[in-house]
Amino acid sequence: MTKETIRERVWDDLEESGVARFPFPPHGRIPNYAGATEAADRLADRSAWRTAETIKANPDAPQLPVRRRALRDGKRLYVAVPRLSDERCFLELDPTEVEDVDAATTVSGISEHGRPVAPDEVAPIDLIVSGSVAVSADGARVGKGEGYSDLEFALLAERGLVGDGTTVATTVHERQVVDGIDDADHDVRIDLVGTPERVIRTEADDRPTGIDWDLLDDDRLEEIPALSSLRD
């Protein structure tokens, strides 16, 4: 199956089974699901979470419990600006400065409370939590299909802020754990898959060490200022 086929099947299944949660419909997005808080709690029980001082998380609804747990556990949190559209393309949330964790971690609140930082101002990342439409038990991931999650990793890898030693996790519903995902060399594989019932430890392969410039056309580079300046 192609990644697009897998996306559509998972989105349809979450909607038809009643597992999907607001925002609706689940299609075209990282889908929210019943049990997202429990999945975040299971991930937070792992040593990779407990020892992490800095976490990068996606801004989507199902990872809201992850972002709140990170700040409440005293971890510095980074979230990418949507579509990496600014030169300072990450937002930093310092747990010692955030007064209202609930407000600061919503999709809209991140941009209001986060401090914009350029990639070279980001601290080394200990743990990444990526949003997923689907993921396999061996760590292959399917996102929305726009490629921004992998670009964010590559952008940070170019500066040595992430690498093979960085744990990459996702939180999903059990219905999003599927077989038959074929990933590409530039895809970032998942180490830990947290669901409301369990945490799966995968055998993730080596990760990209930087940006594959051959995959980026001029339009893409113009859309992402941080990439354009890095290339120049």
Side-chain angles (χ1 to χ4, degrees), residues 56 78-79 111 125 163 191 220:
K56 175 188 165 297
Y78 291 96
V79 180
S111 58
I125 304 296
D191 296 300
R220 188 75 146 176

Side-chain angles (χ1 to χ4, degrees), residues 70-197:
L71 289 182
R72 289 185 173 127
D73 286 357
K75 303 178 189 302
R76 187 177 302 272
L77 178 65
Y78 291 96
V79 180
V81 171
R83 298 182 175 273
L84 297 169
S85 58
D86 296 329
E87 184 77 39
R88 302 169 79 183
C89 56
F90 293 97
L91 297 168
E92 181 187 67
L93 292 165
D94 185 335
T96 65
E97 297 178 0
V98 173
E99 296 181 0
D100 188 340
V101 169
D102 287 350
T105 47
T106 64
V107 174
S108 59
I110 295 168
S111 58
E112 179 182 347
H113 295 268
R115 180 176 74 92
V117 293
D120 56 8
E121 297 176 278
V122 173
I125 304 296
D126 299 315
L127 173 68
I128 293 173
V129 182
S130 298
S132 302
V133 175
V135 64
S136 66
D138 64 358
R141 170 185 169 272
V142 176
K144 290 181 291 187
E146 298 177 327
Y148 286 103
S149 180
D150 295 328
L151 273 175
E152 292 161 18
F153 185 95
L155 195 58
L156 295 172
E158 285 280 348
R159 291 165 169 79
L161 302 172
V162 298
D164 288 343
T166 307
T167 300
V168 182
T170 191
T171 53
V172 295
H173 193 271
E174 283 285 341
R175 288 179 174 271
Q176 294 171 260
V177 182
V178 303
D179 297 323
I181 300 175
D182 292 325
D183 53 0
D185 291 341
H186 63 272
D187 290 338
V188 179
R189 282 183 159 252
I190 301 295
D191 296 300
L192 297 173
V193 181
T195 81
E197 287 79 30

Side-chain angles (χ1 to χ4, degrees), residues 26-45:
H27 301 70
R29 67 178 84 245
I30 299 298
N32 199 9
Y33 57 89
T37 298
E38 289 78 3
D41 289 343
R42 286 193 179 275
L43 178 62
D45 282 340

